[in-house]
């Protein structure tokens, strides 16, 4: 079963605008990661946030984590057409098995 | 190699045949993961290895699916008696260890069962 669910499922914005996508999960976690996928093939790691962290930045990316609400958000600022992709969150269950469960993904389209 | 390598990149097979998918992880990575992704869907966890052992096989859909890893390196995912619903992209990922580390993905093996 899916641990995480992203919201919205699809998002279309103009170049230069900010894009925000959310991820909700079900169990306690050790960390949460965000990945990007182009054209339905390999995924690329974007950012990792640990359960004891609340916010993290990397370039134009900002990730927040609220463990009390079991949710995370990914903000992409000043979006570019090249940011068009699907974005997934992944969580490990804090039960020690270390398997990463991926959410359903948000399909982002940035219009030039 | 520099990245995770998967083969074949594309496989078309007939219903009822067996298929083997191979994953060659990044050198030195002890953890290896298999996922399945159907068209337009999210990733479905299948199995992961830490070294040669598989602590969690809970995602394997049926007993037609099996995976092994030898020498702490290459892994093979085998699907016996393939069915049309097995058609998907099978993604492999590796990480330094199975804990708080990022996953590096291969480009996937696209399986089509006719």
């Amino acid at each position: 079963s899916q641990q995480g669910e992203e919201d919205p499922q699809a998002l279309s914005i103009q170049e230069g605008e900010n894009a925000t996508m959310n991820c909700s999960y079900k169990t306690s976690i050790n960390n949460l990661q965000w990945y990007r996928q182009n054209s339905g093939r390999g995924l690329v790691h974007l950012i990792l946030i640990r359960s004891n962290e609340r916010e993290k930045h990397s370039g134009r990316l900002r990730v927040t984590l609220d463990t009390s609400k079991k949710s995370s958000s990914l903000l992409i600022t000043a979006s570019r057409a090249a940011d068009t992709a699907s974005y997934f969150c992944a969580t490990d269950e804090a039960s020690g098995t270390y398997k990463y469960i991926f959410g359903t993904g948000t399909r982002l389209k940035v219009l030039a | 190699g520099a990245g995770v390598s998967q083969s074949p990149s594309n496989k078309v097979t007939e219903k009822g045949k067996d298929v083997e998918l191979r994953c060659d992880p990044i050198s030195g990575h002890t953890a290896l993961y298999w996922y399945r992704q159907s068209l337009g869907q999210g990733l479905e966890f299948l199995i992961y290895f830490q070294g040669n052992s598989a602590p969690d096989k809970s995602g394997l859909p049926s007993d037609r699916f099996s995976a092994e890893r030898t020498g702490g390196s290459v892994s093979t995912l085998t699907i016996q008696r393939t069915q049309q619903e097995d058609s998907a992209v099978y993604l492999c990922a590796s990480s330094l260890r199975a804990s708080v580390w990022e996953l590096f993905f291969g480009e996937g093996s696209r399986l089509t069962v006719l």
Side-chain angles (χ1 to χ4, degrees), chain A residues 2 30-31 33 35 37 40-43 45 48 50 88 96-104 107, chain B residues 9 33 35 37 41-43 45 48 56 58 89 91 98-103 105-108 110:
Chain A
Q2 297 290 350
N30 292 310
N31 70 90
Q33 304 186 33
Y35 287 81
Q37 183 180 41
R41 299 303 283 244
L43 281 75
H45 178 264
L48 179 154
R50 297 174 187 258
F88 295 88
T97 64
Y98 299 122
K99 67 181 183 184
Y100 282 94
I101 302 299
F102 283 75
T104 49
R107 293 186 305 280
Chain B
S9 56
Y33 300 78
Y35 292 89
Q37 186 177 33
Q41 303 298 309
L43 277 71
F45 170 82
Y48 90 93
D56 196 318
S58 63
V89 176
L91 292 162
S99 56
V100 188
W101 295 98
E102 66 180 277
L103 274 61
F105 279 84
E107 289 298 303
R110 183 180 299 278

Side-chain angles (χ1 to χ4, degrees), chain A residues 14-56:
Chain A
Q14 294 292 326
E15 204 166 31
E17 293 181 338
N18 295 342
T20 299
M21 50 205 88
N22 304 295
C23 167
S24 60
Y25 57 92
K26 299 175 184 174
T27 68
S28 296
I29 61 173
N30 292 310
N31 70 90
L32 183 146
Q33 304 186 33
W34 284 90
Y35 287 81
R36 166 194 167 127
Q37 183 180 41
N38 287 31
S39 306
R41 299 303 283 244
L43 281 75
V44 175
H45 178 264
L46 295 176
I47 197 166
L48 179 154
I49 186 166
R50 297 174 187 258
S51 61
N52 61 354
E53 297 176 311
R54 291 297 166 258
E55 187 171 316
K56 204 161 185 181

Side-chain angles (χ1 to χ4, degrees), chain B residues 39-54:
Chain B
L39 188 62
Q41 303 298 309
L43 277 71
E44 177 187 4
F45 170 82
L46 297 179
I47 187 171
Y48 90 93
F49 292 89
Q50 176 59 51
N52 290 335
S53 64

